[in-house]
Amino acid sequence: QSALTQPASVSGSPGQSITISCTGTSSDVGGYKYVSWYQQHPGKAPKLMIYDVRNRPSGVSNRFSGSKSGNTASLTISGLQAEDEADYYCTSYTSSNILEVVFGGGTKLTVL
Amino acid sequence: EVQLVESGGGLVKPGGSLRLSCAASGFTFSSSGMNWVRQAPGKGLEWVSSISSSGNYIYYADSVKGRFTISRDNAKNSLYLQMNSLRAEDTAVYYCAREKRGSSPIFDYWGQGTLVTVSS
């Protein structure tokens, strides 16, 4: 299955807001409400940040928010902090073949 | 506290086999769908396989279909991944991950990962 498309990198200064996009097709992002976002620091396991497009798990800062329009999902981080610097991945179901899970290629967030 | 602990990784020659295990604790394992996700060195995450809580529904990524087998033992709170006919491109850190709810690609808990290296 093809990975969802994310920008390779984004950057922002502390206090600013950034948005990471995740583009798929009607067979994945556009067809399901199950878009999730994960944060991964170097050498660590991924951490769930957003699920079902816009829901935050308990304990995740409300500076993180998610949305979706058509075949593109987005993760917005407001009030950037140094500890937000990490890799971010989106994921969705895909029915292009059989029901499978597909990840985005990942986006490296740099806090300047 | 939910804990997932992978084991079984290591160095194996191309064409060889390896069995990964994931020991679960802190939640009702028999009620949770489970997945394997891998990450090649310096690369992104790649979903490998999923198994429903009962073990009745199993899915694989095309890249491992026919070579890998996922299974679980609910009595032992354990998840497994039998990997056969290993290739260099299977080299990765393998994570087990719990589904937040059944039949959904929402992974709310992850293990620390176990490294599999396929090399001659």
Side-chain angles (χ1 to χ4, degrees), chain A residues 38 93 99-101 103, chain B residues 4 6 22 29 32-38 46-53 57 59-60 70-72 79-81 94-111:
Chain A
Y38 300 86
Y93 265 148
L99 196 62
E100 300 175 340
V101 178
F103 279 92
Chain B
L4 298 170
E6 302 95 336
C22 173
F29 181 74
S32 295
M34 297 295 296
N35 289 252
W36 288 99
V37 177
R38 69 184 180 183
E46 179 189 15
W47 174 78
V48 173
S49 181
S50 67
I51 185 168
S52 62
S53 57
Y57 297 94
Y59 302 96
Y60 298 100
I70 192 172
S71 63
R72 63 189 298 158
L79 174 73
Y80 306 103
L81 186 67
Y94 285 74
Y95 296 100
C96 66
R98 187 186 84 161
E99 289 177 5
K100 181 175 175 62
R101 60 173 186 259
S103 301
S104 65
I106 305 167
F107 309 133
D108 59 350
Y109 287 95
W110 298 63

Side-chain angles (χ1 to χ4, degrees), chain A residues 1 33-34 36 38 40 43-48 50-52 57 87 89 91-93 97-105, chain B residues 35 37 39 43-47 50 59-63 65 95 99-108 110-113:
Chain A
Q1 66 274 35
K33 67 174 184 178
Y34 300 129
S36 301
Y38 300 86
Q40 186 180 36
K44 301 295 187 181
K47 175 186 176 183
L48 178 66
I50 295 287
Y51 67 96
D52 289 350
D87 294 324
Y89 296 90
T91 190
S92 171
Y93 265 148
N97 187 1
I98 61 170
L99 196 62
E100 300 175 340
V101 178
V102 62
F103 279 92
Chain B
N35 289 252
V37 177
Q39 186 170 34
K43 302 297 184 181
L45 300 171
E46 179 189 15
W47 174 78
S50 67
Y59 302 96
Y60 298 100
D62 286 345
S63 57
K65 206 169 296 181
Y95 296 100
E99 289 177 5
K100 181 175 175 62
R101 60 173 186 259
S103 301
S104 65
I106 305 167
F107 309 133
D108 59 350
W110 298 63
Q112 84 289 350

Side-chain angles (χ1 to χ4, degrees), chain B residues 10-92:
Chain B
L11 175 63
V12 61
K13 289 182 169 54
S17 298
L18 214 53
R19 188 195 197 206
L20 305 183
S21 299
C22 173
S25 61
F27 66 102
T28 306
F29 181 74
S30 59
S31 297
S32 295
M34 297 295 296
N35 289 252
W36 288 99
V37 177
R38 69 184 180 183
Q39 186 170 34
K43 302 297 184 181
L45 300 171
E46 179 189 15
W47 174 78
V48 173
S49 181
S50 67
I51 185 168
S52 62
S53 57
S54 64
N56 289 340
Y57 297 94
I58 288 174
Y59 302 96
Y60 298 100
D62 286 345
S63 57
V64 306
K65 206 169 296 181
R67 301 187 299 121
F68 289 12
T69 302
I70 192 172
S71 63
R72 63 189 298 158
D73 185 334
N74 286 343
K76 294 183 178 179
N77 289 343
S78 293
L79 174 73
Y80 306 103
L81 186 67
Q82 176 67 43
M83 303 186 296
N84 299 330
S85 302
L86 282 162
R87 307 165 179 167
E89 54 264 36
D90 295 318
T91 294

Side-chain angles (χ1 to χ4, degrees), chain A residues 3-74:
Chain A
L4 305 176
T5 300
Q6 298 180 231
S9 63
V10 298
S11 63
S13 300
Q16 289 186 332
S17 295
I18 63 95
T19 297
I20 300 172
S21 61
C22 170
T23 301
T25 69
S26 58
S27 295
D28 40 63
V29 173
Y32 296 94
K33 67 174 184 178
Y34 300 129
V35 176
S36 301
W37 290 90
Y38 300 86
Q39 176 192 65
Q40 186 180 36
H41 287 108
K44 301 295 187 181
K47 175 186 176 183
L48 178 66
M49 304 302 285
I50 295 287
Y51 67 96
D52 289 350
V53 177
R54 62 183 71 251
N55 294 332
R56 279 189 310 276
S58 174
V60 172
S61 171
N62 60 9
R63 298 185 297 104
F64 291 82
S65 62
S67 63
K68 189 181 83 165
S69 177
N71 297 335
T72 298
S74 299

